[in-house]
Amino acid sequence: MKILIKNGRVLDPKNGIDGVMDVYINGGVIERVDRNIRTRGTEEEVIDAKGLCVAPGFIDVHVHLREPGYEYKENIKTGTAAAVKGGFTTVICMANTNPVNDNKSVTEYIVKQAKKDGSCRVFPCGAITKGLKGEELSEIGEMYESGIVAISDDGKSVKNSQLLRKALEYVKLFEIPVISHCEDEDLSTGFVNEGRASVISGLDSIPTIAEEVIVKRDMAIAEYVRSRIHLTHLSTKGSIEAVREAKKRYGKITCDTCPHYFTLTDAATLGFDTHTKVNPPLRSHEDVEAIREGLRDGTIDIIATDHAPHEAASKDVEFNLASSGISGLETALGLSMGLFHDGVLDLIELVRKFTENPARVFKLPFGELTPGRAADVIVFDPYIEWTVDKNTFLSKGKNTPFHGWKIKGKNMITIVEGEIKYRAR
Ligand code: DOR
Ligand code: ZN
């Protein structure tokens, strides 16, 4: 199939392109990116992207697709449908499934299901420890052979520092990073951020140091063994300051944050709406400002969603009993455009955090519009206003604190390997 995308503002950070151009796709790959491409007119589809942006398909390095085991929350089919609607053409899915993705048969299952049911590319993340129990390393080598691109016990930290050290040393063989969910479980016995909001609501709280002590420990161990570490869903000022300092000394540290951590504060939890319950918790205004500054100055490399779909019943309970997580794939692009509208990031830097940077950190040959590369392309409108309606989500997870919000910026078309997988109506 040949597709010509005309007159869009092409944003390709990897290749240093930001200008009005055409993109020509042929046989699943990018053929040309240039001004005024003249063709023989044999293309099946000509997309007029005037006034819109054209970018490499976004890469989400942190999603929960819930398959196998929790298909009532999400499955690969619905999760990847939500992904392409949101502008993502590649996702990395976490290992906290049932069974846990801690051996090659689960990894192979996910890869196979993704080929069959997936609207976009899916790369599994393997567990660091068997059953996420923190006791014994999982079958990392086998899983690597079957297609994992990282390991993580996401949902919790690896409490045993010796085990974490071994995992960090072991993955050097494969040059894949350890993704660290930074949370000291002994310090983390609550449900909302420790601060003004928790004092008012009276809910048990989680202090920022619960995250920061593990950020510092994990970076220290990674540096000690000269391995790569990626810190995920960072939420506090202290974490960003620690990463900023550590990066000056040691180059193999990267990190991400999520749209809810630069959009909402813990004040959102005051109404006891369980859709605001997420782990790590929404933090103070000061933390949110520090996250935005970390995005601006490059301390934070990547924006990921931590797409954590849950069934309504697990949110329709008291705050302390509710599941943690936000269904994020269908609002991430729009919420992140807020960083552009607020002057935090220009469009090329914003796109870089969804494309070039995640591709580099996880060694994926995507996230760029280089001729010869797979044609994973999106067309988005950074200005269009729309109202979030959870009932229109393609994800099974309708759990969003953004229902009813007016946001500016929306994905319009998603192309995966030269095939149109989503088009906004
Ligand atoms: O809020 C969260 N939900 N944080 C996590 O770390 C895990 C995730 C989930 O799996 O639901
Ligand atoms: Zn996590």
Side-chain angles (χ1 to χ4, degrees):
M1 177 148 171
K2 301 189 195 87
I3 304 172
L4 177 63
I5 307 172
K6 286 203 70 69
N7 297 317
R9 175 173 168 189
V10 177
L11 297 157
D12 180 9
K14 177 77 189 278
N15 290 304
I17 294 173
D18 179 356
V20 174
M21 289 189 196
D22 301 342
V23 175
Y24 193 65
I25 295 167
N26 188 359
V29 299
I30 304 283
E31 188 162 293
R32 252 180 95 193
V33 178
D34 216 337
R35 269 173 241 284
N36 279 315
I37 296 178
R38 280 178 209 288
T39 69
R40 291 202 202 93
T42 55
E43 52 280 343
E44 283 79 3
E45 176 95 31
V46 179
I47 295 167
D48 179 14
K50 190 157 182 258
L52 304 175
C53 294
V54 181
F58 285 6
I59 299 169
D60 190 347
V61 305
H62 192 141
V63 304
H64 297 270
L65 295 180
R66 307 293 194 209
E67 186 176 352
Y70 302 108
E71 288 85 352
Y72 55 94
K73 293 178 188 282
E74 189 80 288
N75 60 34
I76 288 170
K77 188 169 182 170
T78 55
T80 59
V84 294
K85 183 176 169 198
F88 296 94
T89 54
T90 296
V91 299
I92 298 179
C93 62
M94 292 299 132
N96 61 343
T97 48
N98 186 18
V100 168
N101 183 18
D102 58 11
N103 67 78
K104 76 169 183 188
S105 64
V106 181
T107 305
E108 282 170 0
Y109 175 81
I110 294 167
V111 169
K112 193 183 93 209
Q113 285 298 100
K115 281 223 171 74
K116 181 165 79 73
D117 288 349
S119 300
C120 69
R121 302 173 198 282
V122 175
F123 292 97
C125 174
I128 300 173
T129 67
K130 285 189 183 158
L132 306 174
K133 289 202 177 92
E135 291 162 2
E136 207 185 332
L137 287 185
S138 56
E139 305 289 348
I140 298 166
E142 277 186 15
M143 289 192 291
Y144 176 74
E145 295 297 322
S146 305
I148 61 164
V149 295
I151 54 170
S152 179
D153 271 4
D154 183 61
K156 33 180 153 163
S157 282
V158 177
K159 193 170 182 175
N160 181 323
S161 303
Q162 170 73 323
L163 211 50
L164 180 68
R165 174 190 176 162
K166 282 187 176 153
L168 281 161
E169 284 184 341
Y170 191 49
V171 294
K172 282 164 76 172
L173 281 175
F174 317 115
E175 294 184 44
I176 60 173
V178 169
I179 300 178
S180 177
H181 166 115
C182 300
E183 178 182 15
D184 182 298
E185 75 180 48
D186 300 310
L187 283 167
S188 182
T189 53
F191 316 104
V192 293
N193 183 47
E194 179 179 298
R196 204 181 125 78
S198 70
V199 170
I200 296 170
S201 68
L203 288 166
D204 286 343
S205 59
I206 306 170
T208 53
I209 49 159
E211 177 172 309
E212 291 152 9
V213 291
I214 301 297
V215 165
K216 289 174 188 171
R217 180 200 69 164
D218 289 10
M219 289 194 302
I221 299 173
E223 183 177 353
Y224 185 71
V225 301
R226 315 305 290 175
S227 188
R228 292 176 55 210
I229 189 134
H230 178 80
L231 310 163
T232 194
H233 53 50
L234 295 186
S235 69
T236 82
K237 181 179 180 202
S239 295
I240 303 311
E241 287 171 353
V243 171
R244 186 178 288 123
E245 280 312 302
K247 274 184 161 188
K248 287 181 191 156
R249 277 197 320 276
Y250 182 60
K252 291 180 178 170
I253 297 165
T254 52
C255 70
D256 70 66
T257 191
C258 316
H260 38 278
Y261 300 121
F262 57 73
T263 307
L264 290 171
T265 69
D266 56 358
T269 65
L270 285 172
F272 299 93
D273 176 2
T274 57
H275 294 117
T276 65
K277 186 177 177 186
V278 60
N279 192 23
L282 301 174
R283 303 289 190 181
S284 70
H285 179 71
E286 210 187 347
D287 293 305
V288 171
E289 286 303 311
I291 296 288
R292 292 163 82 91
E293 176 56 22
L295 285 160
R296 198 195 59 74
D297 77 2
T299 302
I300 302 174
D301 306 270
I302 294 171
I303 298 172
T305 64
D306 194 4
H307 176 73
H310 288 292
E311 76 284 17
S314 79
K315 286 287 192 181
D316 200 9
V317 291
E318 292 85 336
F319 202 94
N320 54 331
L321 300 176
S323 297
S324 295
I326 292 172
S327 182
L329 282 166
E330 291 165 78
T331 50
L333 186 145
L335 292 170
S336 300
M337 287 300 143
L339 296 169
F340 161 63
H341 296 300
D342 295 344
V344 178
L345 290 173
D346 57 25
L347 282 175
I348 195 89
E349 290 309 318
L350 186 55
V351 169
R352 198 189 303 278
K353 294 194 195 287
F354 281 107
T355 57
E356 183 190 354
N357 290 354
R360 188 187 70 245
V361 172
F362 294 92
K363 293 210 161 68
L364 304 170
F366 308 111
E368 54 187 281
L369 298 177
T370 310
R373 286 294 174 94
D376 292 2
V377 185
I378 61 169
V379 180
F380 68 90
D381 185 336
Y383 297 103
I384 193 170
E385 245 194 9
W386 61 288
T387 303
V388 178
D389 179 357
K390 64 182 180 182
N391 301 309
T392 64
F393 278 12
L394 298 181
S395 169
K396 287 191 191 182
K398 314 297 178 197
N399 48 306
T400 176
F402 301 108
H403 179 67
W405 277 44
K406 274 204 168 56
I407 56 183
K408 226 168 136 184
K410 190 177 176 189
N411 180 51
M412 306 306 285
I413 295 173
T414 304
I415 299 169
V416 182
E417 207 163 341
E419 257 188 63
I420 298 178
K421 292 288 190 182
Y422 174 78
R423 203 192 286 257
R425 279 172 295 136

